[in-house]
């Protein structure tokens, strides 16, 4: 009975955290979907071809406007590298897409407070700048050449469809594009593509956070994070934070609930920030780097990324401490609260209704087919055609959607893409050549 009670307490804490961040997550996914609908990946790749200040700034901006899924960002980063972006800018893009996105800021605000939001965004830019400097000073051209050769092999990682899919709408006035039926379809697809990419990490993150909060005594955390030695703790937190993140196997927004538990346990402010930064060096992603770029580059990325995260966390922690912006106590309110009939409940219900509306559009326009196409096996992809609307790989033998134009048959990942093509085929494949 005791064991069941403890399991129930852990699950209860997990649910309470989910309930508190449900509407910020949904809002973040929605805003991310809207941005991805109006910003083309083709434009992004063309803008990141130079290692200069402009390329660095654009990598940050485009990364912040993309999906927050760590696996998806790594896949998109390789796709950008293969399409002409420099290696440094592709990696900077990845780090921006997991550390400077709106949904992360919203969840941080609800669970930990505005100070952590400010530190995350300021520290994210600082970390990217440190990483960029390390690339410029230590990354040799022959390593980049080796990485490019490995990348061109096209080995499969995870969430490969993110690197291919581009349903962005770039023709016509901005507002007309944004409120068009085509945009509604694209937003619904991007929304649920992000949900499908992140739900496993989110579930795992909340479950682990609930278990740690329920079962690990505060005394353990205080001893581990050296809370009785404040000066040493300021250095120890940013140093050990990324390591804890690596061992958690949880990435993307899923590590924010864990960060809340660590803060509640006594880790330093800078340690929390360094921990959140480290979602791109968890062991599964390091293994994907090995597949994408080779063993030597994956180890190089681990070393320079860890150094950048720890140093940025340390600096941000010290700056916020000196300016008096670090919260005076470590108690996380959400771990002490429970759902009530308040604005959180009202917003959760409102965004659940919005998700239902998007879900209906997603299902009616072939969204599930699109998700299945995203994770096709490599040997299948080798024989695939390319959806002319979104760029996804489609198996002609099993494609449920196809259309003919100018004597040629085109295959589509979903009914939504086919309908867009049939409405304006010349926009996607050009005008037919006269005989």
């Amino acid at each position: 009975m005791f064991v069941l009670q403890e399991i129930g307490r852990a699950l209860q804490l997990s649910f309470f955290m989910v309930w508190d961040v449900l509407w910020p997550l949904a809002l973040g996914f929605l805003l991310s979907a809207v941005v991805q609908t109006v910003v083309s990946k083709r434009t992004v790749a063309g803008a990141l071809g130079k290692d200069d200040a402009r390329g660095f700034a654009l990598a940050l901006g485009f990364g912040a406007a993309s999906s927050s899924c760590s696996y998806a960002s790594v896949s998109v980063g390789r796709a950008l590298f293969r399409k002409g972006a420099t290696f440094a800018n592709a990696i900077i893009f990845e780090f921006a897409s997991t550390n400077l996105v709106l949904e992360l800021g919203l969840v941080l605000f609800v669970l930990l407070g505005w100070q952590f939001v400010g530190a995350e965004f300021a520290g994210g830019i600082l970390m990217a700048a440190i990483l960029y400097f390390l690339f410029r000073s230590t990354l040799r051209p022959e390593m980049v050449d080796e990485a490019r050769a490995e990348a061109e092999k096209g080995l499969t990682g995870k969430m490969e469809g993110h690197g291919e899919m581009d349903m962005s709408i770039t023709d016509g006035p901005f507002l007309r594009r944004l409120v068009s039926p085509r945009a509604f379809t694209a937003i619904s697809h991007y929304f649920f593509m992000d949900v499908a990419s992140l739900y496993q990490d989110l579930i795992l993150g909340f479950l682990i956070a609930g278990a740690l909060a329920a079962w690990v005594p505060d005394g353990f955390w205080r001893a581990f994070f050296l809370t009785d030695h404040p000066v040493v703790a300021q250095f120890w937190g940013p140093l050990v934070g990324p390591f804890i993140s690596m061992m958690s196997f949880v990435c993307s927004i899923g590590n924010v609930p864990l960060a809340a538990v660590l803060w509640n346990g006594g880790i330093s402010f800078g340690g929390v920030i360094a921990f959140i930064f480290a979602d791109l060096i968890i062991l599964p992603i390091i293994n994907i780097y090995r597949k994408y770029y080779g063993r030597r580059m994956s180890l190089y990325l681990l070393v320079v990324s860890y150094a950048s995260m720890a140093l940025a966390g340390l600096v941000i922690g010290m700056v916020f401490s000196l300016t008096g912006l670090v919260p005076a106590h470590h108690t996380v309110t959400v771990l002490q609260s429970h759902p009530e009939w308040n604005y959180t409940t009202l917003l959760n219900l409102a965004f659940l209704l919005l998700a239902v509306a998007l879900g209906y559009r997603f299902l009616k326009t072939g969204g599930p087919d699109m998700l299945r196409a995203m994770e096709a096996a490599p040997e299948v992809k080798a024989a695939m055609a390319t959806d002319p609307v979104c760029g996804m790989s489609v198996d002609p033998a099993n494609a449920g959607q196809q259309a003919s134009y100018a004597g040629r048959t085109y295959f589509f990942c979903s009914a939504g893409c086919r309908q867009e093509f049939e409405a304006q085929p010349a926009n996607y494949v050009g005008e037919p050549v006269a005989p």
Side-chain angles (χ1 to χ4, degrees):
M1 184 62 68
F2 172 77
V3 173
L4 292 178
Q5 288 178 340
E6 288 301 302
I7 291 175
R9 189 161 71 96
L11 292 174
Q12 184 183 63
L13 287 171
S14 298
F15 174 74
F16 289 171
M17 283 189 280
V18 170
W19 188 252
D20 266 19
V21 302
L22 186 59
W23 74 262
L25 272 177
L27 176 59
F29 286 145
L30 176 63
L31 294 174
S32 175
V34 169
V35 171
Q36 292 178 81
T37 297
V38 296
V39 178
S40 170
K41 288 190 177 75
R42 302 178 188 94
T43 302
V44 174
L48 304 183
K50 291 185 178 180
D51 280 327
D52 53 17
R54 180 175 180 273
F56 172 78
L58 288 174
L60 288 179
F62 285 132
S66 69
S67 168
S68 61
C69 172
S70 300
Y71 292 106
S73 70
V74 172
S75 175
V76 173
R78 180 179 66 166
L80 295 176
F81 181 46
R82 296 176 70 180
K83 292 176 182 178
T86 67
F87 185 79
N89 284 340
I91 300 300
I92 296 297
F93 170 92
E94 292 178 20
F95 277 84
S97 71
T98 59
N99 289 289
L100 300 178
V101 289
L102 289 172
E103 52 263 49
L104 175 64
L106 290 169
V107 174
L108 273 173
F109 178 78
V110 171
L111 288 183
L112 289 168
W114 66 267
Q115 298 96 328
F116 288 89
V117 179
E120 172 66 20
F121 283 93
I125 295 173
L126 174 61
M127 177 186 64
I130 295 170
L131 190 60
Y132 186 76
F133 171 77
L134 290 175
F135 283 150
R136 293 294 298 269
S137 58
T138 65
L139 183 57
R140 299 193 300 274
E142 58 267 26
M143 289 181 65
V144 176
D145 292 339
E146 290 177 12
R148 188 177 299 279
E150 293 291 333
E152 292 300 333
K153 293 179 181 179
L155 296 181
T156 302
K158 191 174 181 181
M159 297 298 165
E160 295 293 321
H162 274 272
E164 298 177 342
M165 182 174 170
D166 190 347
M167 294 183 69
S168 59
I169 305 170
T170 57
D171 52 305
F174 176 78
L175 287 179
R176 185 181 300 172
R177 284 184 281 148
L178 197 58
V179 298
S180 67
R182 183 180 166 194
F184 188 28
T185 298
I187 289 170
S188 71
H189 281 230
Y190 278 121
F191 182 92
F192 282 99
M193 184 170 68
D194 285 349
V195 171
S197 301
L198 286 165
Y199 81 93
Q200 290 180 335
D201 285 300
L202 287 171
I203 291 173
L204 185 60
F206 282 113
L207 288 177
I208 294 175
L212 292 177
W215 302 339
V216 179
D218 291 341
F220 171 83
W221 293 122
R222 287 195 296 269
F224 183 74
F225 293 129
L226 307 179
T227 57
D228 291 337
H229 308 279
V231 176
V232 178
Q234 293 298 314
F235 291 87
W236 174 244
L239 186 63
V240 76
F243 179 77
I244 298 173
S245 183
M246 285 177 62
M247 296 299 106
S248 73
F249 283 67
V250 177
C251 60
S252 307
I253 306 172
N255 68 3
V256 178
L258 297 179
V261 172
L262 296 181
W263 174 248
N264 194 70
I267 193 174
S268 68
F269 186 82
V272 172
I273 302 304
F275 171 85
I276 296 172
F277 286 160
D279 62 329
L280 281 178
I281 59 170
I282 64 170
L283 297 181
I285 286 184
I286 294 299
N287 186 50
I288 291 176
Y289 281 145
R290 180 188 60 80
K291 292 182 180 180
Y292 282 1
Y293 306 122
R295 187 182 305 275
R296 183 161 73 144
M297 183 60 83
S298 67
L299 293 175
Y300 171 81
L301 287 173
L302 173 59
V303 172
V304 297
S305 299
Y306 200 113
S308 301
M309 295 162 183
L311 182 56
L314 176 63
V315 172
I316 288 297
M318 288 183 170
V319 170
F320 272 60
S321 180
L322 290 173
T323 54
L325 294 177
V326 176
H329 58 83
H330 282 245
T331 302
V332 177
T333 305
V334 69
L335 296 176
Q336 318 295 329
S337 62
H338 55 84
E340 297 177 352
W341 186 253
N342 53 20
Y343 80 94
T344 298
T345 299
L346 291 175
L347 288 172
N348 283 345
L349 294 176
F351 276 97
L352 284 173
L353 289 175
L354 176 62
V356 169
L358 290 171
Y360 180 77
R361 183 72 170 190
F362 176 77
L363 294 174
K364 293 291 287 184
T365 54
D369 293 333
M370 177 271 294
L371 290 180
R372 283 191 290 270
M374 283 179 60
E375 293 300 318
E379 60 272 14
V380 175
K381 282 196 173 186
M384 281 185 169
T386 299
D387 184 326
V389 175
C390 70
M392 288 282 292
S393 295
V394 183
D395 183 3
N398 299 314
Q401 305 294 329
Q402 62 185 65
S404 296
Y405 175 67
R408 181 178 174 184
T409 301
Y410 296 91
F411 301 92
F412 305 90
C413 72
S414 66
C417 284
R418 177 183 57 78
Q419 292 164 4
E420 296 299 335
F421 178 84
E422 290 176 335
Q424 295 177 308
N427 284 357
Y428 302 104
V429 295
E431 297 288 350
V433 178

